[in-house]
Amino acid sequence: MKTTTLIGRRAMMRGALAVAGSTAAAALLAACGSGTATDTPKAGASAAATTAPATGAPTTAATTATTGSAPAGAPATAISAGKTIPELRIAVAALPDAMDPQESISNVGMRIHYFTFDTLIRRDFFNNSALVPSLATEWKRTDDKTLEMTLRKDVLWHDGTPFTAADVKYTFDRIIAKDPKLEVATPGYFPLDSVTMLDDYRVRFVSTAVDPVLEKRFAGLGAQIIPAAYHKQVGADAFRLKPIGTGPYKMVEFVTGDHMTFESFDKYFGGAPAAKKVTIKVIGETATRMSALINGEVDIATNVPPDQIASLKGKKDVVIKQAPLANIQLLRFDMKVKPMDNRFVRQAINLAIDRKTLTDALWSGDAIYTRGFQYEGEDYYNAARPLTPFDPAKAKTLLQQGGYANEQITYLAQSPNYYTFEKEAAQAIIEMWKAVGINGKLELVEGTLQTKTFQENTRQITTWSATSGTADPDGYLWRNWGPDNLQQKNGWWSAESAAKYNQLGTQARSILDKSQRFDLYQQMLTEWETEAPGTTLYIPKESYGLRSTIDWTPYPLYYMDLRAYNFKVK
């Protein structure tokens, strides 16, 4: 890169990053001239990988549905937790607003849902994300659209009542009935025609079409089983704030925005967990959260920024655990607001972002510069796709083509940070846009108000993320950006712009042949990049600070698994 360009970019970043005041922000300023989109990304595939081709299309094609009983690998019915402690104290940046796992999903919510509820099938993150039994002991496909499951007979809800097939039917009947409150578990994500109780411990699912990832859906987001009798008794509103599940911990207190308290469910079918009580406390400020860990006030601290890792490693009795996330941080656009209705402007906005500078300098290498909207190591990953490009010259040309007239473009981010470095990345991106002639303005808003503010349709861009909930493109390309998601439902991604994308996605999710699915997903990725309803930034490596007495492994999803096989006390 020419020296004049380097000097100019350093100058443009200086003002935006002066307020950040962090080591990472200073590093971003120093490194703003490094790298182009031709550089090789850092290694760090998601640990949730399933077998996938290293490059190009799959080498084999599956033409029949998966059949047979469940694979081995589930934890024993009773697992000794070993040493126990009276309380596990966890400091988090934020809490969910409600606890119905089918109504909404968030990074902060899924970690808590995971130890409160169970799914029928579980992903074994220690074994290449193999599907293993959970509430179901075995399953088999009887034809391309029918899946039958046998359920455990030794499971209790937190109120002591038995879990049965009636609970499974109730859970998925809500989805089939198209309950308007369900944001996550929609008919689009769970394309089910019917669920039938064969007896108290056997169920039959029939999908609306051939579904190549049906089994994976029952191990993914929104698949947690809820109690039929209790949910009907207390109603949906009460359940959101005082749920019961079958998981290893039962919620006993929920003070919205402040803390949640759980107690051990010692009758859990997978064995009693290691802590008798779990307290999850909101400490929004990063420095305060790190201090609480160092001072021994908490046992686990989430959202450790990269510039704090070296310091924390030097502290007595503190260890760092990391997991590359199956979650891409991105921006989403509102096409209802000019000039975002102009495809050339949207493309220019995307090309003006230097993601390599963001990942290398801001994250110190603890984020992955991606080859588009995909997750390395998962099914249908294509290593031949180029890195998401940075091309300021082309961005300027596209702005001229689109007739951009210096209209202000508002970028909405959350304060305090919901995503690690959310504000710092936004500040840097605004300056990158200014360098190509985009009149960007950063607006910070309290986290709980972000969605409401964006729905006012007066802001053009907001931060977001996409989680790969099934280790398959259907779990993020369709779940996050398909016609059942808020992006299209609210018209932020216009129907006309999304039409071809939706057509390709409908085909990809209704065939079993892997080669055909691969080709369709490549076309979807190209369509998403061309229409530009948003753009990817990077995949973070999530870092946690732990007291050295805690033996716990984080997963590539935000799940906090506190079951006996993953949470122990030294």
Side-chain angles (χ1 to χ4, degrees):
M1 185 171 289
K2 295 180 181 179
T3 304
T4 53
T5 304
L6 174 59
I7 293 172
R9 289 182 62 213
R10 281 182 175 160
M12 78 172 182
M13 301 287 274
R14 190 168 287 115
L17 295 177
V19 298
S22 69
T23 304
L28 178 53
L29 173 59
C32 65
S34 65
T36 67
T38 59
D39 294 314
T40 302
K42 300 283 184 182
S46 166
T50 53
T51 303
T55 59
T59 56
T60 59
T63 56
T64 58
T66 302
T67 59
S69 60
T77 300
I79 299 177
S80 173
K83 186 177 179 181
T84 62
I85 53 175
E87 183 180 13
L88 177 69
R89 303 157 302 169
I90 303 171
V92 299
L95 286 174
D97 296 325
M99 278 289 288
D100 187 321
Q102 293 185 313
E103 283 196 8
S104 63
I105 196 70
S106 64
N107 299 341
V108 298
M110 70 174 74
R111 72 163 55 106
I112 298 168
H113 294 162
Y114 200 74
F115 61 72
T116 309
F117 302 93
D118 287 295
T119 52
L120 293 167
I121 303 172
R122 184 177 63 83
R123 285 170 64 182
D124 185 349
F125 291 98
F126 298 103
N127 184 26
N128 207 32
S129 276
L131 299 181
V132 297
S134 183
L135 292 177
T137 58
E138 63 179 13
W139 55 90
K140 63 179 180 180
R141 289 210 189 196
T142 57
D143 59 44
D144 286 352
K145 296 202 285 187
T146 306
L147 182 68
E148 294 187 357
M149 291 192 189
T150 301
L151 308 178
R152 298 186 69 101
K153 297 181 179 179
D154 59 345
V155 178
L156 297 175
W157 292 102
H158 291 155
D159 64 358
T161 58
F163 156 79
T164 70
D167 301 304
V168 176
K169 178 173 172 56
Y170 181 80
T171 297
F172 291 101
D173 274 349
R174 278 211 304 172
I175 298 168
I176 294 169
K178 300 183 179 180
D179 185 331
K181 298 185 183 70
L182 305 189
E183 176 188 337
V184 182
T186 64
Y189 188 53
F190 285 95
L192 296 174
D193 182 69
S194 65
V195 53
T196 303
M197 290 177 55
L198 302 178
D199 59 38
D200 283 347
Y201 293 97
R202 288 190 305 141
V203 291
R204 175 186 294 137
F205 296 97
V206 178
S207 57
T208 54
V210 175
D211 186 356
V213 292
L214 185 59
E215 292 86 350
K216 289 183 177 181
R217 298 187 198 282
F218 292 112
L221 304 178
Q224 295 90 344
I225 306 303
I226 65 171
Y230 179 80
H231 191 271
K232 286 187 279 190
Q233 174 191 342
V234 302
D237 291 340
F239 187 82
R240 293 184 194 104
L241 298 178
K242 195 171 183 179
I244 65 170
T246 58
Y249 283 97
K250 173 184 177 179
M251 195 181 79
V252 295
E253 186 178 34
F254 184 6
V255 178
T256 306
D258 186 77
H259 73 275
M260 301 177 78
T261 306
F262 297 80
E263 64 181 24
S264 168
F265 184 49
D266 292 339
K267 294 181 180 179
Y268 182 59
F269 68 86
K276 293 300 181 183
K277 176 182 177 183
V278 174
T279 300
I280 302 180
K281 175 69 176 176
V282 173
I283 305 179
E285 292 297 328
T286 298
T288 308
R289 196 164 61 254
M290 299 307 107
S291 294
L293 176 68
I294 293 167
N295 296 334
E297 298 166 22
V298 300
D299 304 297
I300 299 177
T302 68
N303 303 89
V304 177
D307 62 344
Q308 298 289 313
I309 290 174
S311 174
L312 287 173
K313 282 182 176 179
K315 303 299 181 184
K316 183 181 178 181
D317 298 328
V318 173
V319 296
I320 298 294
K321 291 286 186 78
Q322 279 188 317
L325 290 173
N327 178 276
I328 288 182
Q329 289 190 16
L330 46 78
L331 304 179
R332 55 180 174 175
F333 304 155
D334 185 352
M335 294 185 192
K336 290 180 178 179
V337 189
K338 292 183 178 297
M340 304 307 289
D341 59 339
N342 189 306
R343 185 176 66 182
F344 294 120
V345 173
R346 298 194 303 271
Q347 290 174 346
I349 286 170
N350 295 353
L351 288 172
I353 300 173
D354 184 352
R355 294 160 184 80
K356 181 145 196 330
T357 291
L358 293 175
T359 56
D360 282 358
L362 190 62
W363 284 87
S364 305
D366 282 326
I368 299 164
Y369 179 18
T370 68
R371 297 184 179 277
F373 196 175
Q374 51 176 355
Y375 298 84
E376 186 175 351
E378 293 194 351
D379 286 347
Y380 306 101
Y381 177 79
N382 183 5
R385 290 192 77 87
L387 295 166
T388 304
F390 168 55
D391 192 337
K394 186 175 180 180
K396 292 178 181 178
T397 300
L398 287 168
L399 290 173
Q400 291 177 346
Q401 284 182 266
Y404 177 65
N406 201 42
E407 299 99 321
Q408 182 174 283
I409 295 175
T410 302
Y411 179 158
L412 193 67
Q414 298 167 92
S415 181
N417 286 345
Y418 178 83
Y419 303 107
T420 302
F421 291 139
E422 179 174 358
K423 180 179 72 174
E424 292 82 358
Q427 291 169 329
I429 290 168
I430 288 288
E431 297 304 319
M432 293 171 183
W433 288 342
K434 287 181 181 178
V436 301
I438 296 170
N439 179 15
K441 175 190 174 184
L442 177 60
E443 180 180 340
L444 297 175
V445 63
E446 196 274 322
T448 59
L449 300 176
Q450 189 211 39
T451 298
K452 179 179 181 294
T453 305
F454 199 50
Q455 285 174 335
E456 294 171 0
N457 297 320
T458 56
R459 281 78 166 178
Q460 289 92 341
I461 298 173
T462 186
T463 55
W464 207 34
S465 70
T467 295
S468 177
T470 56
D472 183 280
D474 186 84
Y476 53 94
L477 290 182
W478 190 264
R479 186 183 73 83
N480 288 89
W481 291 90
D484 290 303
N485 192 272
L486 291 177
Q487 277 301 109
Q488 291 195 40
K489 279 179 151 181
N490 288 339
W492 297 332
W493 188 4
S494 69
E496 180 182 6
S497 173
K500 184 177 179 182
Y501 181 92
N502 292 345
Q503 180 185 14
L504 293 165
T506 300
Q507 289 179 262
R509 68 200 318 258
S510 60
I511 58 175
L512 300 174
D513 185 277
K514 287 187 175 181
S515 292
Q516 291 182 48
R517 292 191 78 216
F518 178 89
D519 291 340
L520 288 165
Y521 284 129
Q522 298 312 301
Q523 293 179 62
M524 286 181 74
L525 288 171
T526 298
E527 189 67 15
W528 193 80
E529 292 162 1
T530 300
E531 289 299 320
T535 190
T536 58
L537 297 179
Y538 38 68
I539 294 176
K541 296 179 184 177
E542 186 71 5
S543 300
Y544 300 81
L546 281 67
R547 305 298 299 170
S548 58
T549 54
I550 302 300
D551 183 3
W552 172 77
T553 300
Y555 292 163
L557 294 169
Y558 284 99
Y559 298 157
M560 184 162 275
D561 192 351
L562 300 180
R563 290 164 180 80
Y565 56 79
N566 190 46
F567 166 47
K568 299 178 177 64
V569 180
K570 298 177 185 177

